Amino acid sequence: MEPSNEFDELFEEMKEVKRSEKAKHNTWLALKSKIEETRKRTIFPAFISLAIIATASFLFITFLKPSETEKSAESLSNEETIKAVLEREYNGPNMEISQLMNDWMDLQSETETQKQEDYNHLLESKEYKDFMNYYPATFGAYFTENMLTKAIRTNLVFKYNFYLIDNDIEMKLENVKIAQEKAHPNIYRPIIEVSLTNSKGQKIFHTVREEFIFSKTEPGKIGGYNGVKDGGSMELREKIENFDAYVENNEDVRTPSIDVSYDTLCFNGRLPVPQGTVEFKSGCTSDRSQINSVMTIMENFFVKEVTEKEAMERSELFTQIGNYQIYLTNSADKDNTLYTITSFSDGFLVFSPGSSLGITGDITTESKVFFYEEIKQRLDEFADNNN
Amino acid sequence: MEMEQLYKEHSDQVYSYIYFLVRHKECAEDLTQETFYKAYKGLDSFQKQASTATWLLKIARNVTYDYLRRKRIIQFFSFEKAHDLETNAISPERRFEQKEQLVRMYDSLSKLKKDYQEVLLLRKVQECSIQETAYILGWTEAKVKMKTTRAFEALKKEFHQEGGHADGTIKRIR
C-alpha cells in the first residue's frame, strides 16, 4: 500500500529540474573526449610486427615439444603452477629471449628475401627455431597448447621484457597472494607485488592483479590467462618507462605518529563488486584488543608528506578502487573524528589529522597491498551489515 | 554512436536525479559525465537485468555516493537557491503560498532518515517503480514498500509540525 497523495502536487513540482542545453552539450563533449582517450589507451603497442607474430604462432605449434620444465611441472598444485608462471613473467629482464629475438631479427635484416620461398627458407633457420622454441621451453609446461599459442600471439608472456631492457630496469617478483574463486574453483586471481630497480639502485614497488583459469579438460594446465580490468598492468608499464618520475625522495620519510587520545575505532569500507555496483561496510569498536590488532598493522608503514598534486590524484582514485576509511574517535562523541587513516586496495595508506579523509595527509612510499588485506580482515570482524 | 544515443535519451533524468542529491549544477554535470563514463566502461557487462534507465540511475547513485562520501557529508534536499522554485505561471499570492509549501516540503524531507529520503526521491520524484527502486537501492521489493510507507508517515509528521525552515542540514555518514 502506498499511503497518501497529499504531497503529490509538491512532488510534481520537485520533478522540474532545469538544465541548460549548453551545459548538457558541454558535458557530452567532455564525456566524448574522455571515451576517446580511453580507447586510445587500450590499444596495445605493437612492437613485434603482425607478420612475425602470425608466422610465429603457426610455427610454434610445429615446434612444440615437451621440455624439462614440463616434466617437473606434472606434480605441481595449481597455486604452484601460477607461481611458476609469475616467476618467469615478473623476474626480468630475460636477456635470453631478447638475444634470440635479436639474432632472428638480424638474420632477416641481413638476408634478402624476394620470394615467399626465400622467406620459408629463413623459417628453417636455427635462429628462428631457437627463438620460437624458447616459448614452449619456458611456459609450455604450464599452459594448454591453445593458451600458449594465444599468449604468444597477444604478447601475454614476456610482456614487460622489452620495456625493461629499453629503460635499463630490473624487475623482481616480491610477493604473490593467490585467491581462488569460491563459486568457480578453477579460477584464481593472484595479487602480485613487484619491485623495479634502476641502475642507481633506486627501487619502487607496484601491485598487479591477474586472472588464471585452469582447464577442465587438461587438469593442472592453465587454459586462460588474463589481465584484470584496472588491475595495474598499464600502470606497471608506465612506471617502467617513466621510472624517475616515480622514485621517491627518501629524505623526508618517517613513521606515522598519531598523537591523539581515542577510545573508539570506526570505519567505512567501500568494495567495488562486478557490474559497476559497490558494497559498503561499516562498523565501530571500543574493544581495545580489536583496535590494537588494526593499529599494529599500521606500524609496518613508512610515510612521507605528499604534494597537493599527488593527493589530488589519489583522491581521484577513490571511485575506482576499494578502500577502508578508519576513523579514530571517542565513543562519547563519535561525530568528532580525531584522525583518519585510509587504506587502499592497491596497497597505499593515507594518514591525516581530523576528518579530511587523508587527502592532505601522508602517503606510503611503498606499495603494501598485503597489509590492506590484513586490515580488511580485522575490520570485517566487527563490521555491521546495515544495508 | 551508441553512447551518444544513450546520453541523449537518459542524461536529463540522470542529471535530475544527481542534482537532487548534490543541489549544485556544475557538480551534477560532472557527476552525470562520470556516470555515463562508468556506463560506457560497463556497457559490455550490462546484462539487461533492469531497464537501461534504471541501470544508469543505479550507477548515478553509486557515483554520487562516492562523491558525497569523499566529502563525508550527505546533504539531500537542502533549499538554498530561490531560483530552484520558479513557478511563473501562477499568481503571486498563489506562488508565495506554494513556495512556502515547497520550502516546508524540502525542509521536512531533509530531516528524514537517509533511506526515507532516498526511497521518496526515487518513487515520487524519479517515478521509479517498486521493482526499479529495489534494484537501484539493492533492497527487496518488500523493503521498498515498507520503507515507503514509513517514509510517508515520517514526512507527514515532519511536514505538519510547527516551524522548520530548511537550514541545509548536514549529516555525517556513520
Side-chain angles (χ1 to χ4, degrees), chain A residues 4 14 49 69 87 104 145 158 190 198 252 261 269 302 328 382:
Chain A
S4 179
M14 288 170 69
S49 77
T69 52
E87 276 165 13
W104 164 234
E145 198 176 304
F158 296 124
N198 69 2
D252 52 355
S261 174
F302 293 94
L328 306 182
F382 56 91

Side-chain angles (χ1 to χ4, degrees), chain B residues 144-161:
Chain B
V144 173
K145 288 180 197 169
M146 183 265 288
K147 290 277 184 188
T148 310
T149 307
R150 290 186 185 168
F152 267 117
E153 286 166 4
L155 177 63
K156 264 188 185 176
K157 204 173 162 189
E158 280 294 339
F159 191 82
H160 294 298
Q161 262 180 3

Side-chain angles (χ1 to χ4, degrees), chain B:
Chain B
M1 183 190 172
E2 197 179 358
M3 262 327 279
E4 188 167 7
Q5 194 58 30
L6 201 68
Y7 182 83
K8 274 184 185 164
E9 283 177 16
H10 300 287
S11 81
D12 284 345
Q13 190 186 4
V14 167
Y15 171 86
S16 141
Y17 175 65
I18 293 173
Y19 181 71
F20 265 105
L21 300 180
V22 299
R23 303 304 286 181
H24 185 277
K25 286 179 181 175
E26 287 77 20
C27 183
E29 286 290 351
D30 287 347
L31 294 172
T32 301
Q33 183 197 326
E34 186 61 24
T35 299
F36 278 88
Y37 182 62
K38 279 203 185 311
Y40 161 74
K41 291 211 285 188
L43 203 55
D44 293 340
S45 57
F46 176 43
Q47 305 291 319
K48 307 265 182 200
Q49 67 273 47
S51 73
T52 307
T54 310
W55 174 64
L56 286 166
L57 285 182
K58 192 179 174 82
I59 297 174
R61 179 177 183 264
N62 288 335
V63 165
T64 310
Y65 265 70
D66 275 338
Y67 166 80
L68 293 170
R69 192 165 168 267
R70 224 180 310 167
K71 290 188 164 291
R72 212 166 173 228
I73 55 169
I74 295 278
Q75 187 173 14
F76 290 170
F77 301 113
S78 64
F79 185 75
E80 292 160 348
K81 295 172 186 172
H83 66 253
D84 284 340
L85 280 177
E86 286 171 11
T87 48
N88 297 325
I90 50 178
S91 70
E93 295 78 12
R94 172 76 180 123
R95 194 189 310 161
F96 178 78
E97 189 186 311
Q98 211 162 12
K99 187 173 169 178
E100 196 175 42
Q101 289 282 301
L102 207 47
V103 170
R104 183 180 281 267
M105 179 75 161
Y106 274 99
D107 185 31
S108 303
L109 281 165
S110 75
K111 287 176 180 164
L112 299 184
K113 278 170 62 179
K114 183 167 69 64
D115 49 358
Y116 288 174
Q117 294 182 22
E118 278 204 288
V119 78
L120 289 178
L121 170 61
L122 287 167
R123 293 282 292 120
K124 303 307 290 183
V125 182
Q126 296 297 322
E127 298 181 315
C128 293
S129 69
I130 288 171
Q131 291 90 333
E132 286 167 339
T133 307
Y135 173 81
I136 293 167
L137 296 177
W139 296 352
T140 62
E141 290 177 24
K143 186 173 174 180
V144 173
K145 288 180 197 169
M146 183 265 288
K147 290 277 184 188
T148 310
T149 307
R150 290 186 185 168
F152 267 117
E153 286 166 4
L155 177 63
K156 264 188 185 176
K157 204 173 162 189
E158 280 294 339
F159 191 82
H160 294 298
Q161 262 180 3
E162 277 190 16
H165 273 265
D167 56 0
T169 306
I170 295 175
K171 296 176 184 175
R172 284 183 188 280
I173 300 174
R174 271 173 291 188

Side-chain angles (χ1 to χ4, degrees), chain A residues 196-221:
Chain A
L196 301 173
T197 309
N198 69 2
S199 56
K200 296 176 199 163
Q202 292 169 306
K203 192 184 257 192
I204 57 175
F205 290 80
H206 187 74
T207 305
V208 181
R209 285 174 166 77
E210 291 190 332
E211 181 183 74
F212 289 84
I213 304 168
F214 277 80
S215 166
K216 286 185 176 168
T217 52
E218 290 181 67
K221 293 243 181 181

Side-chain angles (χ1 to χ4, degrees), chain A residues 16 42 55 70 74 84 95 117 143 171 176 184 189 204 207 232 240 242 248 250 257 277 284 301 305 316 330 352 354:
Chain A
E16 289 172 23
T42 53
T55 323
E70 188 163 3
E74 280 170 8
M95 297 311 290
E117 287 76 21
F143 290 109
M171 180 161 65
V176 180
H184 305 95
R189 295 202 175 91
I204 57 175
T207 305
I240 295 169
N242 297 294
E248 299 286 351
N250 287 332
S257 62
T277 55
C284 279
F301 292 94
E305 203 77 20
E316 286 296 310
N330 284 310
S352 174

Side-chain angles (χ1 to χ4, degrees), chain A residues 145-161:
Chain A
E145 198 176 304
N146 281 344
M147 186 56 230
L148 185 54
T149 308
K150 188 179 158 193
I152 297 168
R153 189 184 297 149
T154 56
N155 275 323
L156 264 175
V157 288
F158 296 124
K159 52 187 170 285
Y160 302 105
N161 209 49

